Amino acid sequence: VVARAFHSRARARRRASRGMASTVERVGRARAPVRKTILTRGDDDAMPLEIGCAVHAHFSLRDATTGETLRDTREDMEPIQFTLSARTGIGDEEGRMRGAGACVEALDACAMTMRVGERATFECGAELAYGKEGNFSFPAVGKDRAVVLDLEILGARGSAAAPEMRQRDMTYEQRVERVRAHRSNGNAAFARGRAREAVREYSMALTYLTEDFMMQLFDKYEVEAHEEFVAAHGNLAAAYLRLGAFEDAVTHVGYVLKVDENNAKAYYRRGKARAGLGQEDAAREDFLKAKKITEAAGLVDANVVKALREIDAAIRDRERATSAAFKGIFNTKTDGGDASSNADANVARQPPDGGGSFISRAVASLFGKSRREGP
């Protein structure tokens, strides 16, 4: 709990350091000005988005009245691609071709105020969402409801003069080629120390590996696509680790292990993330799994060996600190000397196996002798 609170405060500080600037702007056909709050500023050298470009984005849409989330691509782990258009509502031609939530005019109108790399929230009236009548299919939205749009621009390509091919019109080979290009760009950014840019590139790779697309594949195509899927999520886990976003790293490792449960690198990365979250015992379990898999392949991974050595030291330090705390509480003398000192020594000798309850072991060490001398 303390670790989660610490990292929550750390994320808040990072958002504050990036500005969290709030402005009121005229957006699209909105009847009233829209409040825009910038969560992450865009790239310094990026130009505002233009009509006709193909935008890769993450977004969530929330009912401003009930707080209900209507759609969240981060939760689905599927960024979207859409052509930036001068929209006229959810019923226009562009809106009819889009999925749930992405059909709203707010997506395009708000994106036109942004640059690549920027993330912002927008408080939008019903005219930019589902209008006076609301929506009775998925997602269900009440009449004349305002929405809150959380939009992050991952990248943009093409223009009205030179339009980008839509992903749904691409062949299998074209999709895989784009996936690999984005992963290559992400690897280059990661090597330059630009982890946030790498995250965007790896995320754009996933826009071409949607669930609907993957379900249609078979034989060698299915194997190849899943390899790219695993690689993209593994890359994202590594980038989030570098950013200190440990919970995000754990999430992406989860997607890797769903497809490849014997991925040693995934267990190693999750171990590092869990260690960062203060979950030493769980981290040690992951490092042990990574070690077992690599050894079964006749290999020795120096990073895993080092991580295990470090986590063992951290667990011993934690147990000594806890023992010292007990020493102050239970300062009882026995015939054999200071029981709390004996408990300290016993605990220090315990292997950091992560199993059982440390408190139970400490209590047993403190009171074990007196119990043996009793009836």
Side-chain angles (χ1 to χ4, degrees), residues 185-228:
N185 292 340
N187 291 341
F190 189 85
R192 295 195 303 269
R194 302 181 65 170
R196 196 166 298 282
E197 180 183 338
V199 165
R200 297 204 305 266
E201 289 289 346
Y202 298 143
S203 296
M204 283 190 280
L206 291 176
T207 63
Y208 300 98
L209 298 174
T210 61
E211 184 178 3
D212 290 345
F213 171 71
M214 301 286 277
M215 288 176 63
Q216 300 175 47
L217 303 178
F218 56 91
D219 295 341
K220 66 176 185 179
Y221 304 105
E222 182 180 11
V223 172
E224 183 180 43
H226 274 99
E227 287 175 351
E228 294 297 332

Side-chain angles (χ1 to χ4, degrees), residues 81-213:
Q81 181 201 52
F82 66 95
T83 300
L84 192 60
S85 307
R87 304 286 306 288
T88 57
I90 60 173
D92 63 12
E93 181 180 357
E94 179 67 23
R96 288 194 298 272
M97 292 189 292
R98 297 187 188 176
C103 60
V104 297
E105 185 179 342
L107 198 67
D108 300 74
C110 295
M112 289 182 195
T113 71
M114 303 177 72
R115 298 180 297 168
V116 170
E118 184 176 342
R119 180 176 178 180
T121 60
F122 299 84
E123 300 171 18
C124 304
E127 66 277 9
L128 292 181
Y130 288 92
K132 291 183 178 181
E133 297 303 316
N135 193 55
F136 296 98
S137 60
F138 178 76
V141 183
K143 294 183 177 181
D144 203 25
R145 289 287 177 83
V147 298
V148 177
L149 172 67
D150 180 338
L151 180 60
E152 179 182 9
I153 306 300
L154 302 172
R157 298 179 58 154
S159 63
E164 174 77 1
M165 181 182 290
R166 297 172 187 263
Q167 69 181 54
R168 64 173 178 266
D169 298 328
M170 292 181 178
T171 64
Y172 168 83
E173 290 77 13
Q174 288 171 323
R175 283 197 182 217
V176 171
E177 181 183 353
R178 288 295 176 83
V179 170
R180 289 172 175 165
H182 283 299
R183 285 190 53 237
S184 177
N185 292 340
N187 291 341
F190 189 85
R192 295 195 303 269
R194 302 181 65 170
R196 196 166 298 282
E197 180 183 338
V199 165
R200 297 204 305 266
E201 289 289 346
Y202 298 143
S203 296
M204 283 190 280
L206 291 176
T207 63
Y208 300 98
L209 298 174
T210 61
E211 184 178 3
D212 290 345
F213 171 71

